[in-house]
Amino acid sequence: EPEVTQTPSHQVTQMGQEVILRCVPISNHLYFYWYRQILGQKVEFLVSFYNNEISEKSEIFDDQFSVERPDGSNFTLKIRSTKLEDSAMYFCASRWERGDRRETQYFGPGTRLLVL
Amino acid sequence: GENVEQHPSTLSVQEGDSAVIKCTYSDSASNYFPWYKQELGKGPQLIIDIRSNVGEKKDQRIAVTLNKTAKHFSLHITETQPEDSAVYFCAASTGFQKLVFGTGTRLLVSP
């Protein structure tokens, strides 16, 4: 069964450093998302991406964040200058849509980011 | 924007009992309501979903009900098993776009 994959599974970084989290969505999906989950809290929406542009972003997704689809398979989230409060689990999700047919979002296993 | 409330935060049941988790949402434009199961260290896994044109949906031991007037929806798990132990999240969405999640329910099924 196709699945969303994410790398790395864990990332430890120093405050102020840049990190790039990588995702490979399901191959025929066209809508991509990033969510984060601070330990013990609910999953929060960060950004949605379609047709090579951001379609929606949350208040969390400030100028320190950016997303990119550098090729036909990868979808990345970059945090330019990490802060302690960026420590969280980051989930990538993707979904399929064609015409009136839409399916739900499928989530990857996540990247646990720890900022020291 | 949309706000989703979820109760209870923890739920302990004996194996074989039923479990019910309830969610309310605020935005009447929301029309899609998935439920996700999250096991320790893993991403959310869809277990069942319901669209606003349906009042109830069932898949084996799992069912979801939706009351659009009251803006609430519930997850029902019957004949619970220890492997049902996990954190369950409800979510709401308009047009399958961004998901707004509830705060989660930790379900513990004791043998």
Side-chain angles (χ1 to χ4, degrees), chain A residues 41-43, chain B residues 4-6 23 88-92 100-105:
Chain A
Q41 298 185 22
K42 64 179 174 181
V43 179
Chain B
V4 178
E5 301 283 339
Q6 183 172 347
C23 289
Y88 291 80
F89 289 97
C90 62
V100 178
F101 283 84
T103 47
T105 296

Side-chain angles (χ1 to χ4, degrees), chain A residues 100-111:
Chain A
D100 291 339
R101 293 189 58 198
R102 298 174 177 177
E103 287 191 353
T104 194
Q105 296 176 30
Y106 291 89
F107 283 75
T111 294

Side-chain angles (χ1 to χ4, degrees), chain A residues 58-78:
Chain A
S58 73
E59 294 174 351
I60 303 167
F61 194 89
D62 61 22
D63 292 344
Q64 294 300 311
F65 291 87
S66 62
V67 289
E68 191 178 30
R69 188 151 163 86
D71 53 43
S73 59
N74 289 284
F75 179 50
T76 62
L77 174 70
K78 182 192 290 187

Side-chain angles (χ1 to χ4, degrees), chain A residues 1-13:
Chain A
E1 183 176 324
E3 57 184 20
V4 178
T5 60
Q6 291 185 242
T7 55
S9 58
H10 293 80
Q11 173 102 39
V12 181
T13 190

Side-chain angles (χ1 to χ4, degrees), chain B residues 15-66:
Chain B
E15 183 177 359
D17 287 351
S18 294
V20 180
I21 303 170
K22 298 181 180 181
C23 289
T24 60
Y25 62 99
S26 61
D27 189 350
S28 56
S30 290
N31 57 6
Y32 174 67
F33 307 92
W35 285 88
Y36 287 87
K37 176 183 182 181
Q38 187 178 30
E39 296 176 277
L40 197 61
K42 297 185 179 180
Q45 297 285 309
L46 179 75
I47 55 171
I48 196 167
D49 57 9
I50 192 167
R51 306 184 189 201
S52 61
N53 58 349
V54 175
E56 184 172 356
K57 183 177 178 181
K58 190 173 182 181
D59 182 5
Q60 298 182 341
R61 296 187 296 110
I62 295 173
V64 58
T65 58
L66 171 65

Side-chain angles (χ1 to χ4, degrees), chain A residues 87-102:
Chain A
S87 296
M89 183 76 108
Y90 288 81
F91 294 107
C92 172
S94 69
R95 72 173 182 90
W96 180 88
E97 176 174 324
R98 181 167 295 168
D100 291 339
R101 293 189 58 198
R102 298 174 177 177

